[in-house]
Amino acid sequence: MYTESLVKLGKVRSEIREIFEYGNQRKAQIGADKVFDFSIGNPSVPAPQSVDDAIIDLVEHFDSVALHGYTSAQGDAAVRNAIAEYTNQRFHTTLTGNHIYMTCGAAASLTIVLNAVLQKDDECIVFTPYFPEYGVFMERTGAKLVEVQSEQGTFQIDFQNLDAAVNEKTKAVIINSPNNPSGVVYTEEKLKQLAAFLEDKQKAYGHPIFLITDEPYRELVYDDTKVPYMICLYDNTFVCYSYSKALSLPGERIGYIAVSPKMTQFEDAYAAVCGSGRALGYVCASSMYQRVIEKCIADTSDISIYKRNRDLLYQALTEMGYECVYPDGAFYLFVRTFGQDAHVFCEKAKEYELLLVPADSFGTPGYVRVSYCVQTKQIEDALPAFRALAENYR
Amino acid sequence: MYTESLVKLGKVRSEIREIFEYGNQRKAQIGADKVFDFSIGNPSVPAPQSVDDAIIDLVEHFDSVALHGYTSAQGDAAVRNAIAEYTNQRFHTTLTGNHIYMTCGAAASLTIVLNAVLQKDDECIVFTPYFPEYGVFMERTGAKLVEVQSEQGTFQIDFQNLDAAVNEKTKAVIINSPNNPSGVVYTEEKLKQLAAFLEDKQKAYGHPIFLITDEPYRELVYDDTKVPYMICLYDNTFVCYSYSKALSLPGERIGYIAVSPKMTQFEDAYAAVCGSGRALGYVCASSMYQRVIEKCIADTSDISIYKRNRDLLYQALTEMGYECVYPDGAFYLFVRTFGQDAHVFCEKAKEYELLLVPADSFGTPGYVRVSYCVQTKQIEDALPAFRALAENYR
């Protein structure tokens, strides 16, 4: 009667949301400051003042009919040009507004690209740990998601595993660096190796293999970490960018797709993106938020707060004996569980009022995700609980 | 290489946009006040002051992290409750927030519902004239769009034609009242007849036939025209609502789906909507605009301007000998062409600097759409051109 696969998707309870709801109940029982919720990946730092200023300026001074009116489906031309120019300055690319397609955030960017390039029985490779919604975003294509295990411990790309997984059906590869949930940033060396590997495979199979980069965390990197821009390294790249984390606007749904100027049959690629957006019901990204982006193009929220949280949490947990992946970016700490079963570990953690997310659904059993996009005080207050949890396993 | 059907969709030039672009060129040549562009369906009346006030109030006084943070996928609970209560007051329904799913506008509402209920080889009925994007919104489902010709002249539902089109594959029917492009509002009598007809067919075929109402123009009705609320008349109704026209916010993409509380297997229906939204890449509707809607729930733009335009244009054109469908709603006048071919007629109209849209792509050859969401002065200035065009055909 209803589309069965979609009914099923709609009924799956999100594990993260269930933990979050448990946390809210528990806070009501024992007090908010006694529960240490590290489950949700919602930015805890407010949008920069420039975003508020831009909104108010637009509402007060921009013609209302134009401000809130339709833009073209690919987005306002001035906004797209501004993004292209800014990207060219940062990464020495040769983008124009005609390579950019504005979207309702990274989820929309990914779904539009996946529908544009994947057909029934194609395969799309993802590296563990990976955001489980990738499988959902390709549901309408009939293609198959193929997991490739990353290098143990570092969670960089394991090329032996990748080589074993690629075959003539491989149509696309998704990378997510900085990574949710591990915080790992791929090194330039590894990414160059990936580009060379995919070039070889394209030749071997005689068709393009598209690289899709999921980049909501690009700006959230610490110290002098560099996040290479894949359009510079590999021609068949679609960049799926979002301002959700960079500007703390996850609920406003604003981002874009950058289609590499050197993409195979570029015109068809860009047309497929436009057609995909139409077929998925996207008319345009929010016309007002497009213009907010234009005004705030080089801004970010105060990332230093996440860095402070990372340093505090990483240092404290490793000192307590936790095995943590060192996160160069994003706002997650990826922690090996004591004992094999992450669900058992997370239940035990609840006894200490610590709410953590088992990473099984990310394709990496034996790990938990600790979101440090929280108030720094919550981390400080939670340290004795983390210590007690570790001691419980001694 | 790329998904062929989507490449094709992405390459189709929109006829309306081409006319609009021609208009812009022509204005540059001979002056903006000399070109009478009636091609675009973009609200010409600004959003009400209450929308601006709501945005500024939210930015200045609502916590930034919460304002711009994710809402649940189905939308903020308080917003959904407010919409349910307001709808109950207006239409004596028994909705709660759990029957509402917030969307990025009517296109998203429709695409989500169509994917939720249509599977490969199902058929979905539309009545001429109809918005041609309906076919695009069902592209990913593999279902077939079936056109049913409406009553000549009135463009009300023709039940003989409908009966001839319905068969056991019929899974859904879309209605759009007030209608784009005819401005026709279905009478309560016709809608009750439709409900009874569909009830019969459901029994005959032993499966639900879903009624999908596309309602962006619900608030744009004139004089004492009533737009019956289909959830009151037919249990298996999905209402696809949008604030694009009511609040002049088409670029912001905000609307909702109301799933009838009496829908067959309601829980599965609502789950299919949620799953469909996820699979199409929608995470949530704009969190800020959801809250704007809550604050402006009973407001509209100044609709009286459209009524003034309608009265002026309808009266003048009928006096000149044009055969026009009397529009009770929306902001379009549907005009029979002199001569059979609407494209030829529109080319002739261009000689008088009148930019009109041939209605062939809406499934009704021999008609043009005249959008009167323009400055009233444009209509006044254009009347001599309309007169000269008519005289040309004498």
Side-chain angles (χ1 to χ4, degrees), chain A residues 159-340:
Chain A
F159 282 91
Q160 213 168 342
N161 290 346
L162 176 59
D163 193 46
V166 169
N167 63 55
E168 63 183 359
K169 290 183 179 172
T170 306
K171 193 71 170 290
V173 173
I174 303 177
I175 60 170
N176 171 224
S177 167
N179 182 268
N180 171 12
S182 73
V184 166
V185 177
Y186 287 160
T187 60
E188 182 160 13
E189 189 199 343
K190 284 282 182 183
L191 289 171
K192 283 183 172 167
Q193 197 179 341
L194 176 63
F197 175 90
L198 292 178
E199 295 284 4
D200 278 354
K201 293 295 176 184
Q202 290 193 134
K203 272 182 210 140
Y205 296 120
H207 64 73
I209 300 177
F210 301 104
L211 183 65
I212 302 169
T213 73
D214 176 21
E215 310 209 337
Y217 298 100
R218 170 170 284 282
E219 319 309 336
L220 275 64
V221 287
Y222 312 116
D223 311 318
D224 56 353
T225 303
K226 294 271 177 299
V227 184
Y229 199 66
M230 288 310 295
I231 283 181
C232 303
L233 300 181
Y234 186 69
D235 289 349
N236 282 329
T237 297
F238 291 94
V239 172
C240 295
Y241 190 85
S242 165
Y243 294 94
S244 290
K245 272 68 180 190
L247 288 173
S248 295
L249 295 174
E252 307 303 354
R253 314 309 305 143
I254 185 80
Y256 63 84
I257 298 162
V259 183
S260 165
K262 292 186 184 163
M263 177 77 64
T264 307
Q265 295 181 23
F266 172 84
E267 268 187 46
D268 280 9
Y270 193 83
V273 164
C274 293
S276 182
R278 277 177 75 186
L280 300 175
Y282 295 98
V283 172
C284 61
S286 161
S287 48
M288 189 193 81
Y289 276 104
Q290 287 188 51
R291 294 181 175 100
V292 169
I293 295 307
E294 187 183 5
K295 284 172 173 275
C296 304
I297 199 152
D299 299 342
T300 67
S301 307
D302 182 359
I303 307 300
S304 70
I305 297 172
Y306 298 132
K307 176 175 155 51
R308 192 175 64 205
N309 287 356
R310 180 202 65 167
D311 292 346
L312 172 63
L313 192 64
Y314 178 81
Q315 194 175 344
L317 263 59
T318 47
E319 278 174 15
M320 291 174 198
Y322 288 93
E323 190 182 324
C324 306
V325 183
Y326 185 76
D328 283 309
F331 42 44
Y332 307 106
L333 191 63
F334 209 48
V335 181
R336 188 155 200 162
T337 58
F338 298 117
Q340 294 292 321

Side-chain angles (χ1 to χ4, degrees), chain B residues 82-320:
Chain B
I83 290 171
E85 275 170 36
Y86 178 68
T87 308
N88 292 342
Q89 276 171 32
R90 288 177 77 187
F91 305 116
H92 310 289
T93 43
T94 56
L95 301 175
T96 71
N98 295 330
H99 302 106
I100 305 291
Y101 179 96
M102 301 302 298
T103 65
C104 296
S109 301
L110 287 162
T111 311
I112 289 170
V113 169
L114 290 166
N115 278 274
V117 305
L118 295 178
Q119 290 108 53
K120 194 167 181 313
D121 300 326
D122 283 346
E123 295 186 0
C124 177
I125 285 175
V126 301
F127 299 100
T128 62
Y130 65 95
F131 187 47
E133 289 292 290
Y134 291 156
V136 178
F137 298 156
M138 63 185 73
E139 194 274 344
R140 296 274 85 186
T141 68
K144 191 179 145 198
L145 179 144
V146 175
E147 276 186 25
V148 169
Q149 291 293 316
S150 297
E151 280 178 8
Q152 275 302 314
T154 68
F155 294 104
Q156 294 281 337
I157 296 168
D158 182 318
F159 283 92
Q160 215 169 339
N161 290 345
L162 176 60
D163 192 47
V166 170
N167 63 55
E168 62 183 359
K169 289 182 180 172
T170 306
K171 193 72 170 290
V173 174
I174 303 176
I175 60 171
N176 171 224
S177 167
N179 182 266
N180 171 13
S182 74
V184 165
V185 177
Y186 287 160
T187 61
E188 182 160 13
E189 188 199 343
K190 285 280 183 183
L191 289 171
K192 283 183 172 167
Q193 198 179 341
L194 176 63
F197 175 90
L198 292 177
E199 294 284 2
D200 278 356
K201 293 294 176 185
Q202 290 193 134
K203 272 181 211 141
Y205 296 120
H207 64 73
I209 300 177
F210 300 105
L211 184 65
I212 302 168
T213 73
D214 176 22
E215 310 209 339
Y217 298 100
R218 169 169 284 281
E219 318 310 335
L220 275 64
V221 288
Y222 313 116
D223 311 318
D224 55 353
T225 303
K226 294 270 180 298
V227 183
Y229 199 67
M230 288 310 297
I231 282 182
C232 304
L233 300 181
Y234 186 70
D235 289 350
N236 283 328
T237 297
F238 292 93
V239 173
C240 295
Y241 189 85
S242 165
Y243 294 93
S244 291
K245 271 69 180 188
L247 288 173
S248 295
L249 296 173
E252 306 304 354
R253 314 310 305 143
I254 185 80
Y256 63 83
I257 298 162
V259 183
S260 166
K262 292 186 183 164
M263 177 75 64
T264 307
Q265 294 180 27
F266 171 85
E267 268 188 47
D268 279 9
Y270 194 84
V273 164
C274 293
S276 182
R278 276 177 75 187
L280 300 175
Y282 295 99
V283 172
C284 61
S286 161
S287 48
M288 189 194 81
Y289 278 104
Q290 287 188 50
R291 295 181 175 97
V292 170
I293 294 307
E294 186 183 6
K295 285 173 173 276
C296 303
I297 199 153
D299 299 341
T300 67
S301 308
D302 183 358
I303 307 300
S304 70
I305 297 172
Y306 298 131
K307 176 174 154 52
R308 191 175 66 206
N309 287 357
R310 179 201 65 167
D311 291 346
L312 173 63
L313 192 65
Y314 178 81
Q315 194 174 342
L317 263 58
T318 47
E319 278 172 16
M320 292 175 198

